Amino acid sequence: MNHRSEKSAPPGALGILLVFTACGVAASRAPLGGSYAVADDTTPRDRTAPSASPVLAADARPAPTARRASAVKSPAPSGEAPRAPAVSNANVLHYDPLRVGDKVKIEASASFELALQAGHQDASAGDGKLGIDAKYRFDLEVTQASAQTLDELEVTVTPLAMRSHYGKRTSEAPLDSAETFRVTLGRSPTVRESSGSSSDEQGRAALLLLCTTLADFHQHWASSPNLELKSGWSNKSSISVPPVFNGDGAVLQLGPVLAKYASLDASTDGVPFEITLPVSYAGGLGKLDFDLKGVARLSRSQARPIAVDLSGPANGGGGPHGELNAHGFSKINATFSYR
């Protein structure tokens, strides 16, 4: 039996996991705080694994904030840094930074299924399982940037699917219309809705988490845009969470994320990095812990994320007296394209 629910917005930790996945392998150091100021003028350095990170780097060449791009792209104006030439060394990964006018399309999906038990008995009718599947598309355009920072993004969020089941009952949410937002980054990030758009507080914070993580990816790569690929490289990075998620009895913790490089995959153009991402979400109904592992791939030509696939067990519990136990499985995927 199918039932229609009222919203297509991903609930709680599921929505946060989904938008975080859309950021690729870069872990934000300070998503809602921190400075994206231009770094001191120093000579860019090449990185050699295992002592350096491909996801935390930025260009030391100073450049003023770029102007909004026109509909037809022309050669970069004097205020913008020219695109760097490609690195010929097959063992070097070189980052081609995002610039004003660049567009990124991200399709991200998240799903989990939990078996709920009260003691040794199923806590719901049927198979005792709760499941949620969600899919969204994010269309981002860089509207203000410098050689080192992404300063403003225009983001259109389009729900593609939202389905849940509880025991034998299935619910499919009516999908909301696409909404467009302008996200300003920096010391005090903000989200402004376009005409006709609306967003709850969690949705706005999730957008900030997505955009600030992408901004960190750009900033930290640019200062050292070349990574020599060597087996055994690894990097662990902490992740800050928007304060709005840690209030009213709810606490979200992401990471630290661990990225490892072993070797190239001859079957694909993407450069693979093994990812480990622990996630913990506690709210009024209980707590869930996710142990996500998988692979994130960066393109050989631009060193930008092109795909992320993570999955792993989920465990937790809750109830007024802690009588409920939950265990199951979660999965997250995202693909990226650029123009």
Side-chain angles (χ1 to χ4, degrees), residues 26 204 238:
R204 293 165 64 89
S238 59

Short mmCIF file of all heavy atoms in Angstrom, two decimals, residues 26 204 238:
data_model
loop_
_atom_site.label_atom_id
_atom_site.label_comp_id
_atom_site.label_asym_id
_atom_site.label_seq_id
_atom_site.Cartn_x
_atom_site.Cartn_y
_atom_site.Cartn_z
N ALA A 26 36.65 16.48 0.11
CA ALA A 26 37.17 17.58 0.91
C ALA A 26 36.40 17.73 2.20
O ALA A 26 35.19 17.84 2.20
CB ALA A 26 37.09 18.89 0.12
N ARG A 204 18.58 25.48 5.26
CA ARG A 204 19.53 26.55 5.02
C ARG A 204 20.92 26.16 5.52
O ARG A 204 21.93 26.40 4.86
CB ARG A 204 19.06 27.83 5.73
CG ARG A 204 17.79 28.42 5.14
CD ARG A 204 17.18 29.43 6.10
NE ARG A 204 18.05 30.57 6.29
CZ ARG A 204 18.03 31.66 5.52
NH1 ARG A 204 17.18 31.73 4.52
NH2 ARG A 204 18.84 32.66 5.75
N SER A 238 39.46 16.94 10.36
CA SER A 238 38.27 17.15 11.20
C SER A 238 37.22 17.92 10.41
O SER A 238 37.53 18.58 9.42
CB SER A 238 38.63 17.90 12.47
OG SER A 238 39.19 19.16 12.14
#
